[in-house]
Amino acid sequence: MPVKIVPADGAEPGEPFTILDTDQGRLGDGSVALFTKSPAVVDIGLRTHAPYKTAQGRLPTTLGGGTYEVSVRRSDGSTFAVGSFNVLAPELGEPTIQPVSGIPGSTFTITDPQARIQQGDLAILYQEGTDPAMGTPASGIEVSADGKTIRANVPATVLEGYQHFVSVRPSSMDAPRFGDLAFFVLAG
């Protein structure tokens, strides 16, 4: 029997789901379900128990609707695919940045209707063709309690007069929560 997720026809945010891996029993303690709808990846902790053939989780109440590709990341870091899962809710909009340009030291606000921003997250400015993780962190970061906005200042050390992009990442510099928000740094 292949790995599968139930309910097969999907579920609404806040509802439980179960992953079945009856043939191989790879759902050990510390396993996490990864719900991916590019570019976003949502980690959902799983409850597991011996003989590790089933795991239960609950969809976050803030999860937007649509079809997600689901995989499982085990405690050793390895992953395996589960399949597609339909979240039965309205699609949430994509993040936006306002204003879309400014001088070093000016303030910008990123709004994420999907509420993926967490306390301690960074806003990283980087130029096209460069690794976002090697970009320059914004200063003065303020994150809203509901996880929908992050307000920050353009760092003084970015190159002026060039197109940049902004990525929102955890402070651990793990994979971004989202990125590629265009922001033009004006000459001061």
Side-chain angles (χ1 to χ4, degrees):
M1 174 181 194
V3 180
K4 67 179 186 175
I5 186 168
V6 292
D9 57 351
E12 293 182 9
E15 291 184 347
F17 63 90
T18 301
I19 296 175
L20 305 169
D21 186 28
T22 53
D23 287 348
Q24 299 186 47
R26 298 174 285 181
L27 297 165
D29 293 334
S31 293
V32 175
L34 306 173
F35 277 61
T36 303
K37 188 167 79 169
S38 188
V41 178
V42 178
D43 294 11
I44 302 173
L46 296 172
R47 290 183 316 280
T48 62
H49 53 84
Y52 304 111
K53 295 178 183 248
T54 64
Q56 292 81 37
R58 184 169 298 276
L59 297 175
T61 57
T62 56
L63 195 61
T67 302
Y68 290 78
E69 290 304 315
V70 180
S71 59
V72 171
R73 182 179 62 229
R74 298 165 27 130
S75 61
D76 66 3
S78 65
T79 61
F80 61 91
V82 174
S84 296
F85 188 79
N86 192 24
V87 175
L88 306 172
E91 293 255 354
L92 296 177
E94 292 301 315
T96 59
I97 188 168
Q98 288 296 323
V100 295
S101 64
I103 62 171
S106 64
T107 302
F108 61 87
T109 301
I110 295 171
T111 304
D112 179 26
Q114 299 179 45
R116 294 172 286 183
I117 306 167
Q118 296 181 15
Q119 294 297 325
D121 280 357
L122 302 173
I124 308 292
L125 280 83
Y126 59 96
Q127 288 184 277
E128 187 171 6
T130 63
D131 180 357
M134 303 305 288
T136 306
S139 61
I141 293 176
E142 298 172 11
V143 175
S144 65
D146 64 4
K148 290 186 178 181
T149 62
I150 185 169
R151 185 179 160 160
N153 300 322
V154 177
T157 57
V158 295
L159 289 175
E160 297 177 23
Y162 288 93
Q163 178 69 53
H164 287 73
F165 297 91
V166 182
S167 172
V168 173
R169 302 178 159 259
S171 59
S172 63
M173 293 302 284
D174 286 342
R177 301 200 193 285
F178 53 86
D180 298 332
L181 299 171
F183 187 87
F184 192 86
V185 178
L186 301 168

